[in-house]
């Protein structure tokens, strides 16, 4: 079946612009995660949804970052007033449920803030 | 908070050789999961192998195996008979059983398999 998809794959934003990044998880997957991966680093956790409920947003770096998953499927990560330090690859992952289930990753959105 | 450390930023071996990637972690929890993920150039991250902390037996997946030393908090990945397609970034990751079950990643090791 289809894997996790993300759009756009690449986004260039001028400093101060708002951006919205979309994640389509694998159909039926309950859990959805957002990670931020800086160049040459490992991904870092941003936020977690179980269905439509955002249960953990402890990794969001500032109040400029906002995520939603209103119907428990597609999720959007929004960054307001982008800054240069927001430049990174944003990865989305989904898993069937809580527990030891594998997290399946999307291809990521590479955000460059100029 | 949990931390994961990969002390080898880059490694390079010849095709068909065996290579071992190192990973150490820090946690106060007794039950957790450990993973190795592979991220090929410009491609998606995929799971290589998983280990449950309560299992003493080391996990194996074809040419991939781990050496899990719980007391030492060490979790190394051995790749046997390495292939050109194994060239990728490899990330060690930790996951708690409680809470959000987010992955905590190490900094990664860039592995190059040379023909």
């Amino acid at each position: 079946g289809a894997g996790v998809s993300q759009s756009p794959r690449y986004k260039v934003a001028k400093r101060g612009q708002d951006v919205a990044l979309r994640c389509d998880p694998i159909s039926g997957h309950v859990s959805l995660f957002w990670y931020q991966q800086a160049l040459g680093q490992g991904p870092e956790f941003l936020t977690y949804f179980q269905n439509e409920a955002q249960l953990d947003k402890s990794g969001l770096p500032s109040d400029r970052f906002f995520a939603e998953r209103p119907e428990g499927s597609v999720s959007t990560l929004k960054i307001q007033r982008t800054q240069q330090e927001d430049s990174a690859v944003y990865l989305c992952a989904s898993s069937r449920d809580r527990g030891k289930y594998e997290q399946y990753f999307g291809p990521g959105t590479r955000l460059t803030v100029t | 908070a949990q931390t994961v450390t990969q002390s080898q930023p880059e490694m390079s071996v010849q095709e068909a050789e065996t290579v071992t990637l190192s990973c150490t972690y820090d946690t106060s929890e007794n039950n957790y999961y450990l993973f190795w993920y592979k991220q090929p150039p410009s491609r998606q991250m995929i799971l290589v192998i998983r280990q449950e902390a309560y299992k003493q037996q080391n996990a194996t997946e074809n040419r991939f195996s781990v050496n899990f030393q719980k007391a030492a908090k060490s979790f190394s990945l051995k790749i046997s008979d390495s292939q050109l397609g194994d060239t990728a970034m490899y990330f060690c990751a930790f996951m708690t059983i409680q809470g959000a079950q987010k992955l905590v990643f190490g900094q990664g090791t860039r592995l190059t398999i040379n023909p």
Side-chain angles (χ1 to χ4, degrees), chain B residues 51-112:
Chain B
Q51 175 78 42
E52 293 156 79
Y54 65 86
K55 289 187 177 179
Q56 292 187 336
Q57 187 173 6
N58 288 324
T60 63
E61 287 287 342
N62 301 313
R63 297 182 295 108
F64 299 87
S65 61
V66 299
N67 183 3
F68 174 47
Q69 301 289 327
K70 190 173 183 180
K73 295 180 182 174
S74 170
F75 183 61
S76 62
L77 173 69
K78 185 172 83 171
I79 306 174
S80 303
D81 186 27
S82 57
Q83 301 175 358
L84 297 179
D86 295 334
T87 292
M89 283 289 289
Y90 285 82
F91 292 98
C92 177
F94 174 100
M95 186 176 82
T96 62
I97 291 178
Q98 305 299 325
Q101 299 192 315
K102 60 195 176 190
L103 290 166
V104 177
F105 288 89
Q107 307 93 316
T109 296
R110 184 178 302 279
L111 176 64
T112 302

Side-chain angles (χ1 to χ4, degrees), chain A residues 35 37 98-100 105, chain B residues 39 44 50 91 99 101 103:
Chain A
Y35 295 87
Q37 186 175 20
R98 284 179 49 79
K100 61 182 179 182
F105 282 80
Chain B
Q39 190 175 41
Q44 288 167 239
R50 169 176 50 218
F91 292 98
Q101 299 192 315
L103 290 166

